[in-house]
Amino acid sequence: MMTRYLRLALVFALLAVMGFAACGEAEEAAEEPPPTLIFSDLNWDSAQLQNRIAQYIVEKGYGYPTDVVFGSTLPLFQGLRNGDSHITLEIWLPNQDEAWDEAIANGEVVSVGKSLGNDWQSGFVIPAYLQEQYPELDNVEDLKDEQFKQIFATAASGGRARLVSCVIGWACEENVAAQIEAYGLSEHVEVINPGDGAALNADLYGAYERGEPWLGYQWGTNEPALVLDVVRLEEPPYSNECWATTKACGFEDATILIAVHPDLLTSAPDVVQMLRAWDLNIEVYKPIAQWLLDNPDASTNDAAIWWLKSNPDIWEGWVTPEAAEAIHAALDADEIPDGWPTAS
């Protein structure tokens, strides 16, 4: 009889130990901190502004720490493929078609929707006031004409038209270079590649303020193209065959996607759901660009706060009610995300 009771006591003791262990494991699992979500901080305004808004929502609404990796298109896309970052809010296609198609085929990235939507781009943009002054200057072929070429020539361009092309490291850098060669413009233009998007924009703004000639690369959602009156020189229309061979034609209108690393689907499914609802399209972005122009001392961080406070009717549709409540509380308390770059 004693042996039977002893055995029962041992069984209960073992079950108790196992129960305590299970509780300890459950508590440990519950205390596991959420992963830090890393955003690709592409070096142009709209991408960084979208990142700041998304970081605020992710940190304050969903409780995930965030961070950014700064850089240009191709290195940051490779980082997303490798898992060094988790979220890229602007994947520009067809600029990145080759790398994108390969990454999709390999299961290295996942598209969760669009950010800005569709957009134009061109390496041959001039101020509208210049075309009003020279109405016959309306086609890329006109840059071979000596009278028009000299409009853009500078002391440093060797008699050729100065063309401010894509930023070094952007996917469009090689595409515009290929277009210039295909159009037979290599002997007629002097290509300048700015170090970043801010330098590209400053170059155009400076010329515009002085009423001077300017020729170069722009795209529809870039701040100067949204707030200044610019026109594109005519080019042969895009075709798949042309772009796959000579590139002697204009860019196809871009599709701008949101991409995540596949790990995010399981590590932060609520954030993925929010990104699938994201709709910061061009019409939504235009007032932000204008606000930044009207507030020259404001940072991208300031613009994100202004937009979030001014447009809850838009972003509340992307998030859960609980996240919206937490975001409003953070905005009311003037909280700043820990993952925001201080100099943005």
Side-chain angles (χ1 to χ4, degrees):
M1 181 69 70
M2 290 298 293
T3 302
R4 180 182 176 188
Y5 287 142
L6 181 59
R7 288 176 180 171
L8 287 172
L10 288 172
V11 169
F12 286 133
L14 180 60
L15 289 173
V17 170
M18 292 173 64
F20 284 128
C23 289
E25 290 174 2
E27 289 177 3
E28 183 178 346
E31 294 172 0
E32 187 74 22
T36 298
L37 305 187
I38 301 174
F39 287 75
S40 304
D41 217 31
L42 295 157
N43 55 352
W44 60 85
D45 290 344
S46 62
Q48 292 180 12
L49 188 282
Q50 292 202 82
N51 277 354
R52 301 302 169 265
I53 293 172
Q55 284 181 270
Y56 203 104
I57 290 172
V58 168
E59 282 199 25
K60 303 304 180 181
Y62 291 90
Y64 293 87
T66 71
D67 203 351
V68 300
V69 178
F70 182 77
S72 56
T73 306
L74 300 179
L76 286 187
F77 186 62
Q78 189 59 46
L80 181 69
R81 297 174 69 174
N82 295 341
D84 299 329
S85 62
H86 306 107
I87 301 168
T88 301
L89 286 172
E90 291 194 22
I91 298 290
W92 282 66
L93 304 178
N95 292 21
Q96 299 171 241
D97 267 354
E98 184 175 349
W100 174 257
D101 291 343
E102 182 181 275
I104 288 290
N106 293 339
E108 296 167 333
V109 298
V110 177
S111 172
V112 296
K114 292 183 179 181
S115 59
L116 294 172
N118 297 326
D119 196 13
W120 64 265
Q121 57 185 314
S122 173
F124 305 91
V125 173
I126 63 174
Y129 59 74
L130 193 64
Q131 195 171 70
E132 291 173 4
Q133 187 176 356
Y134 302 98
E136 294 181 358
L137 173 60
D138 58 8
N139 192 290
V140 291
E141 289 296 318
D142 295 330
L143 296 173
K144 299 175 184 178
D145 190 313
E146 195 65 27
Q147 64 167 324
F148 296 130
K149 184 166 61 175
Q150 290 308 309
I151 294 172
F152 304 102
T154 68
S157 68
R160 295 181 289 183
R162 179 179 184 269
L163 186 148
V164 185
S165 188
C166 288
V167 172
I168 297 170
W170 288 7
C172 57
E173 180 188 358
E174 294 182 3
N175 290 333
V176 173
Q179 286 179 307
I180 288 171
E181 182 176 354
Y183 290 147
L185 292 174
S186 299
E187 297 179 0
H188 302 282
V189 299
E190 175 74 11
V191 175
I192 305 296
N193 293 108
D196 57 28
L200 171 65
N201 291 351
D203 202 281
L204 174 53
Y205 275 132
Y208 207 94
E209 289 170 3
R210 296 186 296 269
E212 296 176 350
W214 192 88
L215 170 68
Y217 176 78
Q218 282 293 304
W219 65 100
T221 51
N222 195 31
E223 181 184 299
L226 289 172
V227 299
L228 303 179
D229 194 2
V230 297
V231 296
R232 290 174 277 171
L233 296 182
E234 292 178 10
E235 302 175 67
Y238 171 89
S239 70
N240 291 334
E241 180 182 1
C242 165
W243 203 254
T245 54
T246 64
K247 289 188 171 60
C249 55
F251 277 86
E252 180 183 15
D253 280 356
T255 299
I256 308 162
L257 301 178
I258 301 172
V260 301
H261 190 269
D263 288 353
L264 202 70
L265 301 181
T266 53
S267 64
D270 46 356
V271 171
V272 173
Q273 185 176 359
M274 181 273 291
L275 292 173
R276 291 190 189 279
W278 189 270
D279 189 23
L280 207 157
N281 57 56
I282 294 174
E283 292 306 310
V284 172
Y285 181 70
K286 279 182 181 179
I288 306 174
Q290 187 61 55
W291 187 87
L292 281 166
L293 187 66
D294 295 339
N295 296 271
D297 295 330
S299 67
T300 307
N301 295 355
D302 297 329
I305 292 288
W306 169 81
W307 187 84
L308 284 164
K309 288 184 174 181
S310 304
N311 296 275
D313 56 317
I314 297 177
W315 60 260
E316 283 179 356
W318 309 342
V319 304
T320 63
E322 296 78 12
E325 184 177 352
I327 293 164
H328 277 296
L331 289 169
D332 290 342
D334 293 324
E335 294 180 9
I336 301 298
D338 294 332
W340 271 3
T342 55
S344 178

